[in-house]
Amino acid sequence: MTKGRIRNNIRKLRFLGSEMTQQQLAEKIGVTRQTVIAIEGDKYSPSLEVAFRIARVFEVPLEEVFQYDTTDRGSESAR
């Protein structure tokens, strides 16, 4: 079974329009700046509630913020 990975467009969304800082986003969604840094850097997957809060802040669908990637990287390099 291929293990999936959650990817996100948070950094891109922060800089579209108003150039929101990580601290500003953290305050809007009720987490610490360190949590935003970890989510943005794909080091931590947010809870479903936090994911929805992030999407709501940017006024976009959840799928525009987060994507679930199930690509098997090992099999691609073997081709």
Side-chain angles (χ1 to χ4, degrees):
M1 184 167 158
T2 303
K3 183 175 179 178
R5 182 172 181 192
I6 296 177
R7 300 191 181 279
N8 70 75
N9 292 315
I10 296 172
R11 182 173 173 80
K12 176 180 150 190
L13 290 167
R14 282 194 306 108
F15 286 98
L16 286 176
S18 65
E19 293 196 22
M20 182 184 300
T21 67
Q22 291 170 330
Q23 182 64 44
Q24 289 169 325
L25 178 58
E27 290 169 3
K28 289 177 184 266
I29 63 174
V31 300
T32 65
R33 183 179 64 87
Q34 288 79 9
T35 299
V36 170
I37 291 168
I39 294 169
E40 200 173 273
D42 291 330
K43 306 266 188 253
Y44 172 75
S45 296
S47 68
L48 193 53
E49 182 178 357
V50 170
F52 275 106
R53 285 186 202 157
I54 293 168
R56 187 168 287 163
V57 164
F58 294 119
E59 299 178 346
V60 296
L62 190 61
E63 295 84 7
E64 195 170 320
V65 182
F66 296 97
Q67 300 80 42
Y68 186 67
D69 183 7
T70 57
T71 304
D72 184 0
R73 301 281 180 219
S75 65
E76 282 183 3
S77 62
R79 289 183 194 169

